[in-house]
């Protein structure tokens, strides 16, 4: 749900609705009431946009351009960053465990 996605990223639901309107790669399913249900792919795409805008400092227009220009390369780079963050987190946890 939109609430779960908002909580996952620590943002307001309004930001998710706004980015949904701005970026065509976020396409949640809606039921008859209009409740949004995000697929894992939608969450991954939101994460990619979040990374570009909030972590890398791109403007919305810059993020759109980056996605349009480099499409698959952006996804590959983002997946690499995610894996490196997981490895870093593991190593930090390991260091903390060894230090205890």
């Amino acid at each position: 749900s939109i609430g779960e996605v908002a909580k996952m990223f620590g943002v307001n639901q309004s930001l998710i609705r706004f980015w949904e309107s701005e970026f065509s790669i976020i396409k949640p399913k809606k039921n008859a009431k209009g409740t949004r249900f995000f697929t894992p792919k939608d969450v991954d795409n939101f994460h990619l946009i979040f990374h570009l805008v909030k972590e890398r400092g791109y403007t919305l227009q810059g993020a759109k351009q980056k996605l349009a220009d480099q499409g698959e390369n952006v996804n590959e780079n983002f997946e690499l960053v995610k894996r490196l963050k997981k490895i870093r987190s593991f190593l930090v946890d390991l260091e903390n465990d060894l230090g205890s």
Side-chain angles (χ1 to χ4, degrees):
S1 72
I2 193 168
E4 292 169 324
V5 175
K7 191 174 187 179
M8 200 181 301
F9 291 94
V11 298
N12 293 324
Q13 293 179 18
S14 60
L15 179 67
I16 293 171
R17 284 190 292 273
F18 176 69
W19 282 3
E20 176 189 341
S21 70
E22 291 291 314
F23 293 91
S24 61
I25 62 172
I26 300 177
K27 299 174 190 158
K29 305 266 188 266
K30 294 181 184 178
N31 66 11
K33 289 181 168 181
T35 304
R36 291 167 173 84
F37 294 99
F38 293 85
T39 64
K41 181 67 175 166
D42 290 323
V43 174
D44 285 345
N45 286 334
F46 187 84
H47 198 181
L48 175 58
I49 294 165
F50 184 87
H51 171 72
L52 290 173
V53 174
K54 298 289 188 180
E55 296 174 351
R56 300 273 315 272
Y58 280 79
T59 63
L60 291 182
Q61 191 59 39
K64 287 179 192 177
Q65 191 65 44
K66 182 87 168 166
L67 291 170
D69 290 347
Q70 297 186 345
E72 193 59 37
N73 287 340
V74 172
N75 269 336
E76 289 172 9
N77 290 344
F78 177 65
E79 289 300 321
L80 180 61
V81 168
K82 277 189 354 185
R83 280 186 249 138
L84 288 172
K85 283 182 178 181
K86 283 183 183 179
I87 292 169
R88 183 183 187 283
S89 176
F90 171 77
L91 290 173
V92 167
D93 290 344
L94 183 62
E95 179 184 40
N96 290 339
D97 289 345
L98 293 174
S100 298

